[in-house]
């Protein structure tokens, strides 16, 4: 494992991204926050001067990711951790899933993670190791109707994770996924009530997931306790599905 404690979090200004960024900073890591809009992180930048780098990155663009990675390496050093959280969701039946909607979800949820993994891996390899955590979803493991594009993008992340885990294991790089059940982030709160009620009815614990549930799973995989986990899907889901 590389000695450096530089972490990159994508989608860092979202609810889950910010919470993960805070957790990493709280443990003494230096964090590069990748996002297209860092408005939700301005206060953290003031609290952690020198330890939090706000980097404007569009993960759907390979050029933007590569430029952002170069900035991180120059300013903070090579990344030891990469947490890919950038993503979005839309609910639409097949007949209403346009090419534009399909491309949006595949590009942001799957291709964006691919871009970031490809950019980070050489630096981790050169440094002697690293940890990658990709944010998938219970929908990637237990798909639902009217989620064809979203479920496809998140299932693709599971395949990406497992293939990269095999490829990068000789370089002492772990690659895992976290697959939370529906979590009431600001983005999810805006989804239709009928949809949220349906998801809640499927969770044996009788509650939605929390951001803290998911962050705890991420931080475990980045900890020494997670050092022998790779190619795995860790799912804080209250019994929503069991694999």
């Amino acid at each position: 494992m590389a000695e450096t404690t530089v972490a990159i979090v994508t989608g860092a200004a979202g609810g889950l991204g910010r919470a993960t960024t805070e957790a990493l900073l709280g443990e003494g890591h230096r964090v590069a926050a990748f996002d297209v809009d860092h408005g939700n992180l301005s206060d953290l930048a003031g609290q952690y001067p020198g330890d939090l780098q706000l980097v404007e990155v569009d993960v759907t663009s390979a050029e933007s990711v590569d430029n952002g990675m170069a900035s991180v390496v120059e300013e903070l050093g090579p990344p030891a951790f990469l947490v890919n959280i950038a993503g979005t969701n839309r609910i639409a039946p097949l007949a209403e899933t346009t090419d534009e909607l399909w491309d949006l979800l595949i590009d942001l949820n799957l291709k964006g993670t691919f871009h970031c993994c490809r950019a980070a891996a050489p630096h981790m390899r050169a440094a002697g190791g690293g940890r990658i955590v990709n944010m998938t979803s219970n929908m990637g493991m237990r798909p639902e109707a009217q989620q064809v594009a979203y479920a496809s993008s998140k299932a693709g992340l599971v395949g990406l994770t497992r293939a990269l885990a095999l490829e990068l294991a000789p370089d002492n790089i772990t690659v895992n996924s976290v697959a939370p059940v529906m979590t009431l982030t600001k983005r999810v709160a805006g989804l239709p009530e009928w949809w949220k009620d349906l998801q809640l009815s499927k969770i044996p614990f009788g509650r939605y997931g929390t951001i803290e549930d998911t962050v705890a799973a991420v931080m475990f995989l980045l900890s020494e306790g997670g050092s022998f986990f790779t190619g795995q899907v860790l799912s804080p889901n209250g019994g929503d599905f069991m694999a």
Side-chain angles (χ1 to χ4, degrees):
M1 186 69 181
E3 291 183 2
T4 182
T5 55
V6 174
I8 294 173
V9 179
T10 77
L16 180 55
R18 178 191 164 95
T20 302
T21 298
E22 284 191 275
L24 287 163
L25 289 168
E27 289 196 354
H29 302 294
R30 306 179 76 190
V31 181
F34 281 15
D35 214 313
V36 293
D37 180 358
H38 293 94
N40 192 35
L41 295 173
S42 57
D43 61 322
L44 279 185
Q47 292 177 42
Y48 295 93
D51 289 332
L52 177 59
Q53 181 187 16
L54 306 182
V55 189
E56 185 176 339
V57 172
D58 174 1
V59 298
T60 68
S61 164
E63 181 180 8
S64 180
V65 170
D66 290 343
N67 289 341
M69 188 65 62
S71 173
V72 171
V73 173
E74 180 180 354
E75 296 295 327
L76 301 179
F81 304 149
L82 169 63
V83 184
N84 288 300
I85 298 176
T88 192
N89 188 10
R90 300 289 190 278
I91 298 171
L94 177 63
E96 297 175 17
T97 301
T98 63
D99 286 356
E100 291 76 18
L101 177 57
W102 174 271
D103 290 345
L104 169 68
L105 294 179
I106 296 296
D107 285 353
L108 184 53
N109 296 348
L110 179 57
K111 191 175 182 180
T113 294
F114 159 71
H115 285 155
C116 293
C117 290
R118 184 176 63 182
H123 298 289
M124 292 181 172
R125 183 180 291 118
R131 306 279 178 87
I132 297 173
V133 178
N134 300 323
M135 194 59 57
T136 181
S137 165
N138 65 323
M139 295 294 170
M141 308 294 290
R142 180 188 58 72
E144 293 249 350
Q146 302 191 51
Q147 290 278 275
V148 61
Y150 181 72
S152 295
S153 69
K154 291 300 187 177
L157 280 174
V158 175
L160 173 68
T161 294
R162 290 172 173 166
L164 281 181
L166 293 171
E167 181 173 338
L168 299 179
D171 300 303
N172 195 33
I173 300 170
T174 67
V175 189
N176 292 288
S177 290
V178 172
V181 74
M182 176 173 279
T183 302
L184 284 183
T185 61
K186 183 177 180 180
R187 175 179 61 79
V188 170
L191 293 175
E193 290 299 323
W194 69 266
W195 179 260
K196 290 185 289 187
D197 290 343
L198 175 63
Q199 301 314 309
L200 182 60
S201 72
K202 298 177 181 180
I203 303 173
F205 262 45
R207 69 168 176 86
Y208 297 112
T210 67
I211 288 176
E212 291 76 15
D213 293 329
T214 302
V215 172
V218 171
M219 297 304 288
F220 167 73
L221 291 171
L222 298 179
S223 73
E224 285 307 308
S227 63
F228 202 52
F229 287 74
T230 199
Q232 304 303 307
V233 180
L234 187 58
S235 183
N237 66 43
D240 176 73
F241 75 89
M242 303 178 191

